Amino acid sequence: METFDHLMAGLAAALTLQNLAFALAGCIFGTLVGVLPGVGPSAGTAILIPITFSLDPVGAIIMLSAIYYGAMYGGTITSVLLNVPGEAASVITCIEGYQMARQGRGGAALGIAAIGSFIGGTIAVLALVVVAAPLAALALKFGPPEFFALMLFGLCLVTGLAGRSLIAGVLMTVGGLLISLIGIDPTRGVPRFTWGMPELFDGLGFIPVVMGLFGIGEILSTAEKPYREIVRTNLREILPSKEEWKASMGAIWRGTGIGFFLGLIPGVGSIIPTFMSYILEKRISKHPEKFGTGLIEGVAGPETANNAYANAAMVPLLTLGIPSSPTIAVLMGAFIVNGLTPGPFLFTEKPILVWTIIASFFIGNVILLILNLPLVGLWAKILEIPYQYICVGTVLFCIIGAYSINSSVFDIWVMLGFGIVGYLLRKLDFPLAPAVLGLILGPPLEKSLRTSLEMSAGDFSIFLHRPITVGLLILSVVVLVVSALNLAPSQLREASDD
Amino acid sequence: MKRGWIVASIAFLALFCVTVWESTSYALLDELGPGPGFFPLWLAVIGAILSALLILETARGPADPPDTALVPDREAMFRVLSVIVMMGVGAALLEWLGWRLTALIVTGALLPALGARSPIAIGLFVLAASFGVFHIFYYLLKVPLPIGTFGI
Amino acid sequence: MFKTILGAAAALTLGVSSAFAQTFPDRSINMMVAFPAGGSTDIGARIVSSIAEKLIGQPIVVVNKGGAGGQVGWTDLVRQKPDGYNIGFVNLPATNTAYLDPKRQAIFNEKSFTPIINQVLDPGVVWVAASSPYKSLKDIVDAAKAKPGTVRAATTGILSDDHLAILMLEEAAPGVKFRIVHLLGGAAQMKETLGGNVDVSFDNVGSIVKQVKGGQVRALAVMDTERSKFLPDVPTTKEAGFPTVISSSTRGIAGPKGMKPEVVAKLADVFEKAMKDPEHQKKMDEVGLAVKIMKGDEYKKYFEDTHLKAKKYVEWAQKRSEK
């Protein structure tokens, strides 16, 4: 059929030596930039845009997309090796991937992340080819009421992250939700908990908080107890073992599904599919209590979901011109400055061009895999540097990362503050993941609720008149009931122990 | 551990109570439904209740096994505090002294504090961290790191 | 005798300051953008700076200081020394609403800046999805008059220029009342309009040019005195019968108050040349942003006018009820 012809023509164009070189360069630059903690994909992509001004439009876009994917993988590298999330979605990888690294399985973590990302990304691109236009139209049906129900659903899944004490887990979620409400209220413009500081009007900033909780918190823990069990990584153990493969495959397929479908909905953001994949894996696992100690499915699923999401998010961008995240907005800006205006117009006016770009997404995924698998051993060797240098180096990069978001020293202080909090909570073994979930879901949850009410002029029944919303709300109730039933037996057991 | 949890829970309880009080200064309801103060208030109330429950759950729970002391030895405390203090120093000095001088001071002080010994390694690292990093970020990546009042 | 001293002092000061103006700049200039990297203000700033720095002979470093819708950046700007080495982009009326909203406790006001030169003027536009039944501005106004408070109108943020424009329209058409829905940014607004969750949207030309060309949205009216070169078939609000509804978002360069006139003039000249450069025009055309150079007294007056206009509508917005 015609689409397939276009894809083939696009592949042929993308496979020219010059375009391949651009893709390679983009992957390398992107990974390098992404490895720097805090300098996330959006800043990294923006920084490297000027390099592409001197290239032809197609080459420029190929390079930019490669930079984008490279930067995301770079974020994975720092999450696994240093427990510093390179960008928001890498937080989950910190939880499992870093633990794997500490057991000497860092290579396997990076390897499965690369492989899972490749599979997820490729399937997403192929699915994109087939379903782009019709699914995009459907995804537009997701308005504020649907978003509210989706976020609520995500929140109800928090019981899956609780760990030892359910009360502590929910408490941390509530804490995260509260912290996320700091800032100017989105519907009325009232500053909340800001004490007159404009730096707080947009909230505390997800990246400094998360870099503090995980990155600085980890550095402080390392400073306290430096000589923990750092097993030397055997180069032969770079690839995942047979058991790890089996465990990961299911996670990878599920992650692909989650990432792809959520990527079609404009505005979801990369954190949500990543988190949902993690929670899903934990729920259906036969040994959920082992999560947090370094389970490979906890890396495979979320990383795959993340990349499937990133590729699928190109659908609303290319078909509707709607960017799903700040990074994609930057990419869109770069597209436009290079003369390519996203929209269905693009598909009909210059189909070969569009399919060349889509083909290059695929090629970018391949290059990333080829580039990084051999390098994984190299990255893992970083862990063998004496801890003082890793500590100080990471501190410096975290400072740069936090500062460079808005050229603001305030963000450094936020990061330090949460670093201390993260360190203390870590010592007490309080679960951090539910807090992060609360932090992420808070603003969209409240905003979509109140925007829905703006749309309906205060009428709550808007939530009951829309099919997708009702469906998600029912699902949330189901999840809550199932969790309650699961917990009841253990509560009874505890009571009978007294 | 148990004592730590109880202390933490009391701290949370206090924080949540303060938040409840602060939330009442924002409108709870407005024309369209929940106002700016609605969610903070109820979340803080729930948080306070949960903190209280946590105190109870922990107090009733099993006692600590003998070797989980919370406060580490003094050397460890020194290392942790030096990281915190030097980060604070860095944040305070960054825009005044500029990246290069600040990084010089912070790395120069922190590496020995954490136990690094070799002067050559320390020296190389300090140079790379201050001048090297600045050069890469400012000139190559075009990420402006601060230049201080001394023009460095 | 006294007159001689005064005269000598005046000559000395003039001499010193023009000498300063002649040696200005002797080091790099900081150009502050109050929004994160990659946004449209940022792109415009980088394009014009890269051309201007070659003309002025010193590097112009773009520093992103985003936060609080620009307030963090502008707060920083007004605190700098007015020596010409620290300038930045101001976005009118966003800068105005930042200090006009008492809740935001801004430390600056309309007198805290020295206007230098304006770069972009992006007129407001009223638009709907292509599938919408509304074909003209009159249709929207009639619908909102017939059933006040039911037509859902989207903005890109509270007290944005879009928000104020909706109020201008309500003022110009008595009996009209919209159900205002505040969204966060242009992307969200595009999504909700295409998805049918709002009936009409108010934004700026630059944000919707691509979708208009792609046929997904229909622009009903441009809120300017003359038609936009990017949307030549779309009538102005004046042609549609609402000549008082004039609203736009501008991006211009300013410094903290108290800058020397010679320095301001020199910067304005350099940036004007940069903005007239064909490369600049071409790149701005690609992103759909109309270049409108205003400098000197013209820009100063525009600053004051925008302030007064914003003041009026911000006060009204505070009092307006939703139901």
Side-chain angles (χ1 to χ4, degrees), chain A residues 408-424:
Chain A
S408 153
V409 176
F410 183 76
D411 288 335
I412 305 181
W413 291 113
V414 169
M415 185 176 71
L416 180 58
F418 276 91
I420 300 176
V421 168
Y423 165 64
L424 292 172

Side-chain angles (χ1 to χ4, degrees), chain A residues 304-336:
Chain A
T304 308
N306 198 3
N307 210 33
Y309 170 84
N311 281 283
M314 292 295 174
V315 172
L317 176 67
L318 292 175
T319 58
L320 301 166
I322 300 180
S324 290
S325 70
T327 315
I328 297 185
V330 171
L331 213 54
M332 177 166 117
F335 281 18
I336 294 172

Side-chain angles (χ1 to χ4, degrees), chain A residues 142-144 186-189 191 196 198 201-202 266 320-321 336-337 341 344 406-407 447 454-457 466, chain C residues 63-68 71-72 103-105 152 158 179 181-182 191-192 194 197 210-211 216 283 286 322-323:
Chain A
F142 247 75
T187 319
R188 285 281 156 261
F201 281 179
D202 286 333
L320 301 166
I336 294 172
V337 164
T341 0
N406 276 322
S407 300
K447 173 78 181 136
E454 270 182 327
M455 280 165 59
S456 68
R466 300 167 69 114
Chain C
V63 179
N64 295 93
K65 238 183 154 58
Q71 191 175 336
V72 174
K103 297 191 287 281
R104 306 184 88 177
Q105 297 174 286
R152 299 166 300 187
I158 306 178
R179 190 185 285 183
V181 180
H182 295 295
K191 172 180 167 297
E192 303 304 350
L194 290 177
N197 289 308
K210 318 138 211 137
Q211 281 87 353
Q216 299 153 282
K283 286 237 139 59
E286 265 162 21
E322 293 304 314
K323 290 240 166 95

